[in-house]
Amino acid sequence: MFSRFITHPVSLFLSLVVSLISFPGHTESLTDTAEQQQIDGLIREPLTLSVTLSNGQPAVLDAFVTRPVGNKPLPVVLITNGTTGTAEFDRWTLNPNRYASTAIAFARHGYAAVVVLRQGYGQSSGAAEYTGHSCMQPFHLQAGEQDVQNMVAALGAVRRNSWASVDNAMLVGMSAGGFAVIATGATNPPGVKAIINFDGGRGAIDGKSLCDKTGLMKAYAQYGKTATIPSLWLYAQNDKSFSPEMGKAMFDAYQQGKKTAQFVVMPPYGKDGHVFMDSAPESFWWHTVAAFLEQHHQPLQEIAALPVVHLVDPPALNAAGKKAFADYQTTQRYEKAFASDPQGDWGAAYWARNSDEAAATALKICSSQQSSGAPRCTLYAINNHYASKVSP
């Protein structure tokens, strides 16, 4: 089944519908940031990048920047997405806030962190790199070519901003996005200093096999022949898509005895470590990444603190609900919302495109948990604040 061609677990808390939009025809546009959670010392705002690809075709890429306040040029971290291989999810549900916590971690340490969705994902134009492919014919190198076009064009567009360095950048990707940044790094884009691959790969079937494994290894070997940029490869012990053994095989095909790359097996995370980049707290992975950054003379100083949230629990929550609300307060998976009712039913939403979408999804989840005749669910918190009219 093609929907399993490239696996990436999805959250039950994501909204099922994202409204269609029309794409503006300018290089970059900012939408209203009132719907985004702001953090002291940082700016979080959506971007729309209008670019021309290396094949001469125009494209619009859905993006989001998290950066320190000010216009001083900062090292750029370009973060790109994984995929389910399912067009309906990738197009209508995925949005750049899926990687909010990753972007915040880098921004807190002095980077302009830009999440960019490649073509075919979220509100980006065009078709995804797997379109027209199958497990029998995954066309790994062809997919890599489209990834490179997207990433290089996005980096060029980001660098036109006053807050972005023109000669210091890093590429970061998860799952299929990890494959994308390795492919892009093989072209050695000017000014790119490092590559970080979180649980990267293509063609995962069941966590035990790969679509066209031989072709995939050939692709990595080809990338390794030309790559000169240092890279860090991270794979969780309990990754259910690309096990550390699979990751090491890809790494070995790429590395070919050179010393430009490092491979690290991370501890297990949750039920499936494949999602640790976008789901785990910063403390789970930052120390490992920071050691790599230090080796390559990149910024490490913390310039903005993580917000400390103190909200009173909604009334009537049981033990599971209290734990869920405690997790809600600490996570940086914006945009988020929490809804509850007087009987203790609850719903939490994460990674929404804006606060309104998070609120609607939390209410929908809460309502789905209720028994017949239960009192109406109401919104309790949006991002790090009580919802309006809430009196805990």
Side-chain angles (χ1 to χ4, degrees):
M1 184 176 178
F2 183 60
S3 64
R4 298 175 64 196
F5 168 46
I6 303 174
T7 59
H8 182 188
V10 301
S11 170
L12 294 175
F13 300 133
L14 282 168
S15 173
L16 299 178
V17 179
V18 175
S19 299
L20 286 167
I21 67 164
S22 59
F23 296 108
H26 43 76
T27 301
E28 175 183 302
S29 68
L30 303 183
T31 58
D32 183 8
T33 61
E35 294 296 323
Q36 316 302 329
Q37 170 65 43
Q38 298 303 319
I39 297 172
D40 287 346
L42 302 180
I43 293 172
R44 300 182 66 243
E45 56 191 5
L47 302 176
T48 300
L49 304 177
S50 294
V51 302
T52 300
L53 305 177
S54 59
N55 61 6
Q57 296 298 310
V60 177
L61 301 178
D62 192 3
F64 196 102
V65 61
T66 305
R67 61 181 177 86
V69 173
N71 288 318
K72 175 184 175 181
L74 299 164
V76 172
V77 177
L78 199 62
I79 303 166
T80 198
N81 57 285
T83 177
T84 62
T86 303
E88 290 81 4
F89 174 87
D90 290 337
R91 169 60 76 191
W92 306 121
T93 307
L94 187 64
N95 75 75
N97 288 352
R98 174 91 190 197
Y99 309 96
S101 62
T102 311
I104 291 168
F106 281 104
R108 289 199 324 107
H109 293 88
Y111 297 86
V114 180
V115 177
V116 61
L117 302 187
R118 304 184 306 284
Q119 286 181 286
Y121 297 95
Q123 295 175 351
S124 294
S125 62
E129 75 280 350
Y130 58 77
T131 303
H133 301 186
S134 68
C135 194
M136 293 295 293
Q137 293 183 307
F139 301 114
H140 297 302
L141 284 171
Q142 181 179 317
E145 291 174 2
Q146 178 168 318
D147 291 336
V148 172
Q149 289 184 351
N150 280 222
M151 296 300 289
V152 170
L155 183 58
V158 169
R159 282 172 165 166
R160 289 194 283 270
N161 291 277
S162 60
W163 42 258
S165 169
V166 298
D167 59 5
N168 189 358
M170 181 162 40
L171 307 181
V172 175
M174 168 185 174
S175 192
F179 177 88
V181 298
I182 292 298
T184 306
T187 67
N188 301 304
V192 175
K193 307 297 186 183
I195 310 290
I196 304 180
N197 164 25
F198 286 83
D199 295 288
R202 293 193 83 242
I205 301 174
D206 53 10
K208 300 178 181 178
S209 54
L210 298 165
C211 300
D212 187 16
K213 180 178 179 180
T214 299
L216 182 63
M217 297 306 165
K218 287 182 178 178
Y220 277 113
Q222 179 170 317
Y223 297 148
K225 288 178 181 178
T226 58
T228 61
I229 299 171
S231 59
L232 176 65
W233 301 48
L234 305 172
Y235 289 81
Q237 287 181 13
N238 64 333
D239 189 317
K240 292 185 178 180
S241 295
F242 302 110
S243 68
E245 293 75 20
M246 287 181 180
K248 188 60 164 56
M250 291 183 274
F251 175 84
D252 288 343
Y254 172 89
Q255 182 70 334
Q256 301 174 35
K258 298 186 297 183
K259 296 183 179 180
T260 57
Q262 300 177 36
F263 184 87
V264 177
V265 177
M266 298 292 289
Y269 173 73
K271 295 181 179 179
D272 183 359
H274 190 65
V275 300
F276 83 83
M277 188 193 89
D278 63 17
S279 300
E282 175 186 315
S283 58
F284 181 86
W285 56 268
W286 178 256
H287 177 76
T288 303
V289 168
F292 173 75
L293 298 178
E294 185 174 23
Q295 291 175 22
H296 300 289
H297 313 292
Q298 294 301 302
L300 291 173
Q301 182 179 359
E302 183 178 305
I303 63 173
L306 283 173
V308 178
V309 184
H310 294 294
L311 302 178
V312 177
D313 291 354
L317 290 181
N318 60 18
K322 289 179 181 294
K323 182 181 183 305
F325 192 67
D327 292 342
Y328 173 88
Q329 293 193 68
T330 59
T331 187
Q332 310 304 312
R333 292 178 290 163
Y334 301 115
E335 306 314 306
K336 62 183 183 179
F338 198 95
S340 64
D341 71 12
Q343 293 183 349
D345 298 306
W346 58 274
Y350 301 101
W351 296 317
R353 188 171 287 273
N354 53 52
S355 297
D356 287 345
E357 183 183 301
T361 306
L363 288 166
K364 182 177 181 180
I365 293 169
C366 179
S367 297
S368 72
Q369 309 303 313
Q370 293 181 299
S371 58
S372 177
R376 183 173 62 92
C377 289
T378 58
L379 194 63
Y380 189 80
I382 299 178
N383 293 318
N384 294 337
H385 309 286
Y386 293 116
S388 60
K389 300 182 182 181
V390 167
S391 299

